[in-house]
Amino acid sequence: MDIEKITLENGLRVVVNKDNSSPMVAMNLIYDVGARDEDPELTGFAHLFEHLMFGGSVNIPSYDKPLQEAGGENNAFTNNDYTNYYLNIPAQNIETGFWLESDRMLALDFSEKGLEVQKKVVIEEFKQRYFNQPYGDVWLHLRPMAYKEHPYRWSTIGKEISHIEKADLNLVKDFFYSHYAPNNAILSLSGDIDPHKAFSLAEKWFGGIEKREISKRSLPIEPMQIKHERLDLHRPVPADSIYLAFHIPERLSDDFYAIDLISDILGSGNSSRLNQILIKEKELFSSADAYITGDIDPGLFIVTGKPLPGVNLEKAEEEIWKLLDSISNEMISDYELTKVQNKFEANFIYGQSSILNKAMNIGYFELLKEAEMIGFEVAKYRRVDNNAIMAAATSMFKKENCSVLNYHSEKN
Amino acid sequence: MVNRSNKPSLGAVKELNVTKPDEYHLSNNIPVYIIEAGDQDIIRVDILFQAGSRYQQKIFQAGFTNSMLLEGTKSKTAHQIAEEVDFYGSYVYPGSDRDEANIQIYSLGKFLPSTLAIVKDIIQNPSFQQKELDTLRNRRSQSLAIDNKKAEYRAKRLFFRSLFGPTHPYGQIGEEENLKDISRRNLVEFHQAYYHPNNCRIILSGQKASKYLPILEESFGTWVNEYKQGEVFPVGNEIGSTEKKHREDVPGAVQAAIRLGKIMPTRNHDDFSALNITNTILGGYFGSRLMQNIREDKGYTYGIGSSLFSFMEKGVFMIGTDVGLEYYVPTLEECYYELNRLSDELVPDQELKRVKQYIEGELLRELDGPYNQASSFKTLLSHDLDFSFLKTYLDILNNITPVEIRDLSRKYLNPDSFLEIVAGVKS
């Protein structure tokens, strides 16, 4: 991929991928602050703050209106590691994007009314995602089981609604000035834009924003889990469900690629082992999945499934362990390994057709280490061999590295 | 020092540049529409049949026939099919809705011949194995039970049943007892009646897509089916509920799911595009009346919107949101307030201009690259339209006036004509 980048004097990193096949430009801005940076008594803040970023900035009362007038579309998300803002705009209007993003990096138009409304909105989001859905509250319980020290023990939405209710304007201002700054951000673009034009627009609009003193990130390290954890919940859901969480190393670990491929072997696509063995062949589950959380700090490998009526959770868990053990104990075939590597590569190529996907990815990799990493990803997946798969599985799939949540159906 | 109060000037609007897809016919007359664009070696193929649920004799018949195509052929098991497709890194997605059924394929160019060979087999020779049908039934049963717990699912179900009538092809929604009733024979019959070359259209899109025409010819051009074409019938008029207001209790709900709506003209109707623009103003984007009032001003919800969509023979307008239980009454009031406002007041020029500019940007996004173009074209094709529809839409967009919007709202958006569904509260 064609990537060019610079760093402004104030520390802002700017990464550009030129792609003339689109008439648009996707602009992405990552701030290196996520739920992991929150005060344990005031969780949900990074995400609430993301909402406030749309309430108007010091020189621009409305973020959305000028963007709409320029034919642009935008959104944002927050996760445990970082906060990501993006927009997609016709190429001839890209300067509007620079104007909008730089102004809200400079200073927000902090207002009581804006804060009050977004607190309510976020509380409704909390309810919609976590309390108004069957199985919605799983992660509110799974996280504190798996993590005792590290901030990943709470969800991005927050530990509880009362934390969001506690937010006030002073806390909001503090948060902004200690986390939102050019020296804590990465601006990335993909689409119909010349990199040098992008750099000069970045200098023009962002250059004048001064560096800020960023709260130093010093997170407690999660001690190695040495004891198997278990939790039983009872809820008015129609089917039992089980969740197994295993600790895995950080994203930049050499073992990451083998671990990601294991999640594909288990759970990706119709030929995956969970689907073929537990659902089709043994007819024990109605649904099952395996995935990794994708966190930057040491994250989790999740295996989950809903057993069919007549199959209890104990049996379900036993069958899952048999499957996991088979990867730890039996070498996977070259065929199966090549299959999941092919899938990764096809997905990667498909991802190149979206300028938004590319802008997000080059920003993300620049955050991790350097944007150019993206050009080596396919090769890293290809270099994983059967031995590495077996070693990673053996290391990961151990009872003492595992937290199990049994979600029981309460049939009233 | 840059002047931040000065909004950057906007560039000249780019002309909507989309070429009409080339149309070819395979030897057996299946039309193939070709969209050549992009620079990744991924080809997308959409194989479309008039085989949606409106043609079924029994609930779930059309959907299951479509899903079961992947579950085994006369020469391959479901497992073998899954292994092969996954090995190539290809995606083969069956899908169906009320009117149409389709198989959608994404494949690296180099693996397209192999992938299409598999798709040829699953479409022409599915075996509908009993064991696989039972597995599918069990899975569907579980997911239905889970859906039934969701206020938003209950609201959707109540909405469509009340709008069209529970036996109307567009109002039918399956339940557990319908699942038990589906047999292997139902699927074989439906497949024979509706999955054949006379009922088929194909969209081929991607970089240098036309070079894959010979492969398509090999896979589908020689397909001959002797079975009698299944009946392709009109849906008939809706038998909507006479009662306007409906409530459904959902135990444990902490939010109420609201759906307001009515029947509208289809995409082919003269008023459709203007109604689409009106819908955008009301609830079709983040800056819309509904979103700005009910979320951004009042904080009642995480999201609210309105949509105008078109089945082949009927259109539907729907406002939808999930709100805190304590807010559902004022939310309904505000929705009606916004509907009335469109009929009572002229949309200010500045707002109309902004909506026009936003929609122009959306159109560019919807046509950005071969796969987006294929999706847009697929929607148009199901109404026997093509990209010229979008050029006409742009003309209407550029010329529409506040008076026209107000008059259209008076004609179509009278709140008294709306169905009002709330799930999560007691009757």
Side-chain angles (χ1 to χ4, degrees):
Chain A
M1 204 193 298
D2 181 31
I3 294 175
E4 289 189 47
K5 58 186 200 185
I6 58 162
T7 303
L8 301 186
E9 217 177 288
N10 59 13
L12 179 70
R13 288 157 280 179
V14 186
V15 190
V16 183
N17 160 246
K18 179 177 169 144
D19 182 346
N20 289 339
S21 70
S22 170
M24 321 293 285
V25 176
M27 175 189 256
N28 197 77
L29 192 43
I30 291 178
Y31 287 95
D32 192 0
V33 57
R36 62 178 164 165
D37 299 302
E38 291 164 354
D39 175 342
E41 297 309 311
L42 271 175
T43 62
F45 217 74
H47 169 250
L48 170 63
F49 192 82
E50 176 225 301
H51 277 245
L52 299 176
M53 279 286 273
F54 294 90
S57 53
V58 63
N59 294 293
I60 309 171
S62 163
Y63 173 91
D64 289 298
K65 286 194 165 98
L67 185 65
Q68 288 150 6
E69 282 162 7
E73 172 66 68
N74 79 306
N75 213 323
F77 63 83
T78 310
N79 59 36
N80 290 73
D81 295 321
Y82 61 92
T83 312
N84 189 109
Y85 301 85
Y86 60 92
L87 60 91
N88 176 305
I89 195 168
Q92 70 271 16
N93 294 337
I94 188 56
E95 189 160 10
T96 301
F98 280 91
W99 173 63
L100 288 168
E101 292 300 338
S102 61
D103 205 62
R104 64 180 182 175
M105 181 189 280
L106 177 64
L108 281 190
D109 178 21
F110 301 99
S111 91
E112 286 289 357
K113 155 110 191 195
L115 178 60
E116 283 319 299
V117 171
Q118 291 308 319
K119 277 162 71 166
K120 285 165 80 167
V121 171
V122 168
I123 288 169
E124 288 311 310
E125 186 180 351
F126 208 135
K127 289 187 213 162
Q128 188 179 310
R129 292 193 198 278
Y130 293 85
F131 300 126
N132 217 41
Q133 310 275 349
Y135 316 99
D137 64 342
V138 166
W139 281 90
L140 298 178
H141 297 277
L142 196 55
R143 284 184 177 280
M145 256 213 292
Y147 292 100
K148 304 299 181 194
E149 302 284 340
H150 190 283
Y152 285 168
R153 61 193 159 89
W154 59 83
S155 291
T156 304
I157 195 77
K159 265 188 215 166
E160 47 189 273
I161 286 180
S162 67
H163 282 201
I164 294 159
E165 279 163 347
K166 279 197 260 185
D168 70 40
L169 222 45
N170 288 322
L171 291 168
V172 165
K173 282 182 188 160
D174 265 342
F175 187 88
F176 179 80
Y177 287 106
S178 53
H179 292 107
Y180 276 65
N183 47 310
N184 205 33
I186 296 162
L187 175 68
S188 54
L189 296 100
S190 174
D192 185 14
I193 183 155
D194 179 72
H196 294 278
K197 175 161 181 220
F199 298 150
S200 73
L201 282 171
E203 183 57 55
K204 174 180 175 185
W205 290 101
F206 287 91
I209 304 174
E210 285 185 12
K211 274 192 220 219
R212 289 178 182 139
E213 210 177 299
I214 299 301
S215 295
K216 190 165 181 288
R217 176 180 284 143
S218 166
L219 304 177
I221 296 186
E222 182 66 27
M224 190 168 92
Q225 184 179 342
I226 48 173
K227 190 173 79 97
H228 183 62
E229 294 276 342
R230 303 187 71 81
L231 180 67
D232 288 83
L233 292 179
H234 298 263
R235 296 282 188 269
V237 293
D240 288 342
S241 191
I242 188 169
Y243 305 83
L244 286 81
F246 299 90
H247 286 279
I248 60 176
E250 70 279 11
R251 175 61 179 86
L252 285 175
S253 154
D254 287 333
D255 295 333
F256 172 81
Y257 300 94
I259 290 168
D260 197 16
L261 286 177
I262 293 172
S263 75
D264 288 342
I265 289 164
L266 279 172
S268 173
N270 286 339
S271 73
S272 68
R273 291 199 184 190
L274 281 169
N275 191 45
Q276 287 302 325
I277 299 171
L278 295 188
I279 294 177
K280 295 295 205 70
E281 187 193 315
K282 293 190 176 178
E283 293 182 281
L284 295 170
F285 286 75
S286 68
S287 65
D289 201 3
Y291 56 90
I292 56 175
T293 53
D295 295 314
I296 295 178
D297 289 341
L300 298 172
F301 187 112
I302 307 293
V303 187
T304 178
K306 294 185 174 57
L308 284 168
V311 179
N312 66 25
L313 282 166
E314 207 182 297
K315 170 86 170 150
E317 189 180 343
E318 193 186 301
E319 290 295 329
I320 288 175
W321 277 106
K322 276 191 203 158
L323 209 55
L324 302 181
D325 288 341
S326 70
I327 304 189
S328 302
N329 300 331
E330 296 153 31
M331 197 79 90
I332 68 161
S333 66
D334 289 342
Y335 169 85
E336 196 174 9
L337 179 56
T338 308
K339 176 180 74 173
V340 288
Q341 288 166 333
N342 285 349
K343 279 169 74 72
F344 178 81
E345 182 164 2
N347 277 341
F348 184 84
I349 294 172
Y350 181 69
Q352 307 286 81
S353 66
S354 159
I355 54 169
L356 181 56
N357 191 55
K358 285 196 288 175
M360 280 187 182
N361 272 321
I362 58 181
Y364 171 72
F365 280 104
E366 185 63 27
L367 177 72
L368 269 188
K369 190 167 143 203
E370 59 189 7
E372 290 80 359
M373 244 181 97
I374 198 175
F376 299 102
E377 285 293 278
V378 172
K380 286 179 180 169
Y381 279 91
R382 287 281 180 204
R383 269 205 288 277
V384 174
D385 64 25
N386 335 47
N387 289 306
I389 297 281
M390 195 178 227
T394 306
S395 171
M396 190 172 36
F397 296 141
K398 297 195 283 229
K399 290 256 157 80
E400 58 271 26
N401 188 38
C402 180
S403 304
V404 176
L405 172 55
N406 277 321
Y407 206 98
H408 299 262
S409 158
E410 211 178 63
K411 288 188 170 79
N412 287 328
Chain B
M1 192 62 187
V2 72
N3 185 344
R4 294 185 181 277
S5 319
N6 273 353
K7 190 168 76 157
S9 51
L10 300 178
V13 174
K14 283 198 182 129
E15 210 187 289
L16 198 66
N17 199 5
V18 59
T19 10
K20 186 178 152 100
D22 281 332
E23 186 180 336
Y24 286 85
H25 287 256
L26 301 181
S27 301
N28 56 5
N29 229 23
I30 293 180
V32 181
Y33 303 89
I34 303 188
I35 295 171
E36 280 203 337
D39 41 19
Q40 300 304 319
D41 182 35
I42 302 244
I43 301 295
R44 170 175 158 170
V45 187
D46 293 89
I47 304 175
L48 313 168
F49 298 93
Q50 295 306 304
S53 62
R54 60 182 279 183
Y55 301 114
Q56 63 196 6
Q57 305 296 315
K58 278 180 167 184
I59 295 184
F60 291 124
Q61 187 180 23
F64 269 44
T65 303
N66 180 260
S67 300
M68 287 284 293
L69 293 177
L70 278 179
E71 303 299 341
T73 68
K74 300 189 168 102
S75 53
K76 289 197 168 108
T77 63
H79 192 173
Q80 285 170 314
I81 293 166
E83 283 293 347
E84 282 183 44
V85 169
D86 280 354
F87 185 82
Y88 297 128
S90 298
Y91 285 92
V92 176
Y93 296 125
S96 65
D97 58 35
R98 303 287 190 181
D99 297 305
E100 285 186 321
N102 64 81
I103 301 279
Q104 187 178 91
I105 301 153
Y106 282 94
S107 172
L108 288 171
K110 65 183 177 188
F111 290 137
L112 187 64
S114 312
T115 305
L116 278 180
I118 299 167
V119 178
K120 169 187 177 171
D121 196 24
I122 69 176
I123 288 180
Q124 297 180 26
N125 309 308
S127 53
F128 299 115
Q129 296 291 321
Q130 185 64 49
K131 182 171 194 279
E132 303 288 1
L133 172 58
D134 294 333
T135 302
L136 181 62
R137 202 200 310 273
N138 286 338
R139 299 185 74 177
R140 206 47 198 281
S141 174
Q142 278 277 35
S143 60
L144 253 182
I146 291 168
D147 279 341
N148 259 311
K149 294 284 184 178
K150 298 181 190 174
E152 40 127 354
Y153 176 79
R154 303 269 215 111
K156 179 184 97 166
R157 188 176 67 181
L158 188 51
F159 178 78
F160 281 99
R161 281 182 177 166
S162 307
L163 190 62
F164 287 102
T167 56
H168 188 278
Y170 290 156
Q172 276 180 349
I173 302 221
E175 305 249 38
E176 178 67 35
E177 58 263 27
N178 304 117
L179 279 177
K180 297 189 166 94
D181 205 22
I182 284 289
S183 73
R184 188 191 169 267
R185 175 132 166 257
N186 297 146
L187 308 187
V188 171
E189 282 170 359
F190 194 84
H191 176 261
Q192 283 173 359
Y194 294 100
Y195 284 79
H196 60 77
N198 296 346
N199 204 22
C200 179
R201 292 189 281 201
I202 297 176
I203 304 172
L204 173 66
S205 51
Q207 187 188 39
K208 302 199 180 101
S210 55
K211 83 176 190 200
Y212 297 99
L213 258 178
I215 311 285
L216 266 184
E217 170 65 36
E218 198 181 297
S219 316
F220 293 99
T222 53
W223 184 22
V224 164
N225 182 308
E226 290 138 16
Y227 293 98
K228 188 171 139 221
Q229 156 77 59
E231 211 194 326
V232 172
F233 46 80
V235 296
N237 278 325
E238 62 277 11
I239 311 156
S241 169
T242 45
E243 186 57 58
K244 285 286 166 211
K245 293 187 202 288
H246 299 259
R247 301 285 183 266
E248 186 166 319
D249 191 25
V250 180
V254 300
Q255 288 185 311
I258 295 175
R259 302 289 181 267
L260 303 175
K262 58 182 289 186
I263 307 261
M264 286 293 215
T266 64
R267 191 173 285 277
N268 307 80
H269 191 279
D270 284 341
D271 284 340
F272 190 85
S273 292
L275 274 170
N276 213 347
I277 295 160
T278 308
N279 171 68
T280 307
I281 295 169
L282 175 67
Y285 72 121
F286 192 78
S288 68
R289 304 275 175 100
L290 289 173
M291 194 63 118
Q292 291 301 307
N293 178 349
I294 293 160
R295 176 179 139 149
E296 293 293 285
D297 184 57
K298 312 276 191 312
Y300 292 159
T301 179
Y302 173 53
I304 181 166
S306 62
S307 52
L308 174 65
F309 52 91
S310 177
F311 297 130
M312 267 172 75
E313 291 187 32
K314 299 279 175 184
V316 176
F317 182 85
M318 190 178 80
I319 295 173
T321 184
D322 299 338
V323 298
L325 283 177
E326 67 269 43
Y327 303 132
Y328 92 89
V329 171
T331 299
L332 286 170
E333 280 164 16
E334 294 302 328
C335 287
Y336 292 128
Y337 166 74
E338 293 300 347
L339 281 167
N340 283 322
R341 203 151 71 95
L342 281 173
S343 298
D344 296 340
E345 297 165 16
L346 293 176
V347 176
D349 289 335
Q350 187 52 36
E351 184 184 354
L352 183 55
K353 181 165 179 232
R354 179 163 54 85
V355 169
K356 288 182 183 184
Q357 288 160 317
Y358 171 77
I359 292 176
E360 271 165 8
E362 275 301 282
L363 276 175
L364 279 178
R365 272 181 284 281
E366 276 166 32
L367 298 171
D368 187 10
Y371 318 119
N372 286 327
Q373 285 181 32
S375 295
S376 299
F377 187 72
K378 179 167 171 266
T379 303
L380 294 167
L381 191 63
S382 60
H383 299 273
D384 293 319
L385 297 166
D386 60 33
F387 286 136
S388 60
F389 175 88
L390 297 176
K391 297 236 161 85
T392 310
Y393 181 61
L394 253 185
D395 278 334
I396 294 172
L397 181 70
N398 284 326
N399 293 308
I400 198 167
T401 65
V403 170
E404 282 173 272
I405 291 170
R406 187 199 58 192
D407 291 348
L408 207 63
S409 303
R410 285 178 179 170
K411 182 175 173 190
Y412 288 102
L413 298 183
N414 180 350
D416 292 339
S417 61
F418 275 65
L419 204 57
E420 179 189 291
I421 308 286
V422 185
V425 299
K426 292 189 173 32
S427 316

